Amino acid sequence: MGSFEKLGILVIVVIITMILAVAIYQWGGTSDPFEPATAGVPSLNIDKNAVPAPTPEVDLIDEHEKSRAAPGPDAAGGSSAGTGVGPRGNWPGGIPKSYVVQAGDSLWVVVVRRWKLKDSFTDAIGRANPDVNVAKLNVGDTLRIPNPDAYRRDRSSSAAPARRNLRRYEVQIGDRLDLIAKRFLDSHARWREIQAVNPGLDPAKLRPGQVIYIPAK
């Protein structure tokens, strides 16, 4: 074989090799076949002095703990924590339907000073709690509180005489209605007059500390 023929074969091989390389590049290759294997790979350009972004904190309180910690509103929409309000909600105006006695409480302090109601409402509370000695409250006692609005309506519609002409009296230990009548009205038999000016008064259930009104002689 002459040198001319050898040169022709070499040229043909080179051409075939280039065609195959181009075909591979176009049909499946992702980089130039004549470039090094790392060609086309983007540089990361990592800054060795950069401070990594802080990892966000994770709330470790589970949903059960969140529900226990969240204060629940009472029936009036406010929080009942530390107020002695019982589990039954509030009457219109924010007065609780039940009240748990706190240290230092007396019925007058709770009704007049804290709730800004007239002291006569203490009588209604006493009647609503015959099982509690309202004259000597104990911490933890639960009082049923009647509706103050209904109590006001009952009082305004009552036929009882105006109390500006009556004497206010706080029941003492050992008192009976007939003995009170004898003391202030000079006759045991006049106890019914005292009952008449105190609507709802049960002569058999007088309690020390209970406030009643006595008519004039």
Side-chain angles (χ1 to χ4, degrees):
M1 180 182 296
S3 59
F4 180 77
E5 292 176 349
K6 292 181 179 179
L7 180 61
I9 293 172
L10 181 59
V11 170
I12 292 171
V13 172
V14 170
I15 293 173
I16 292 173
T17 302
M18 293 180 64
I19 292 172
L20 290 174
V22 171
I24 293 173
Y25 172 71
Q26 290 181 345
W27 293 340
T30 57
S31 62
D32 189 340
F34 303 105
E35 292 292 333
T38 58
V41 178
S43 174
L44 296 179
N45 294 325
I46 299 175
D47 186 355
K48 296 182 178 179
N49 296 322
V51 178
T55 303
E57 294 183 0
V58 179
D59 189 355
L60 299 179
I61 302 177
D62 61 23
E63 293 302 320
H64 178 65
E65 291 299 324
K66 288 181 180 179
S67 63
R68 291 178 57 194
D74 58 24
S79 173
S80 62
T83 62
V85 177
R88 298 174 56 193
N90 288 353
W91 294 112
I95 304 302
K97 294 182 179 180
S98 64
Y99 181 79
V100 180
V101 176
Q102 309 294 300
D105 278 347
S106 71
L107 202 54
W108 186 91
V109 167
V110 172
V111 170
V112 177
R113 184 174 299 170
R114 191 170 303 163
W115 295 344
K116 309 302 181 185
L117 300 174
K118 292 184 177 180
D119 63 353
S120 59
F121 189 57
T122 59
D123 297 342
I125 296 176
R127 290 193 294 272
N129 296 272
D131 53 331
V132 178
N133 183 1
V134 295
K136 189 177 180 181
L137 297 176
N138 296 312
V139 173
D141 285 346
T142 299
L143 300 174
R144 294 175 291 277
I145 309 300
N147 188 339
D149 290 339
Y151 176 73
R152 294 188 192 99
R153 289 193 295 270
D154 290 345
R155 281 173 51 82
S156 63
S157 61
S158 174
R163 285 185 172 173
R164 62 178 178 272
N165 297 324
L166 303 178
R167 180 182 306 181
R168 184 179 185 276
Y169 177 72
E170 186 172 316
V171 176
Q172 307 297 311
I173 296 175
D175 271 346
R176 299 198 315 261
L177 208 57
D178 61 328
L179 297 178
I180 295 173
K182 173 63 176 177
R183 187 185 315 164
F184 293 101
L185 303 177
D186 299 328
S187 172
H188 292 90
R190 297 184 66 182
W191 65 267
R192 289 187 176 84
E193 297 179 35
I194 300 176
Q195 186 182 34
V197 298
N198 292 274
L201 178 64
D202 186 344
K205 293 183 178 180
L206 292 182
R207 300 179 305 277
Q210 182 179 4
V211 174
I212 63 174
Y213 294 86
I214 302 172
K217 289 185 179 181

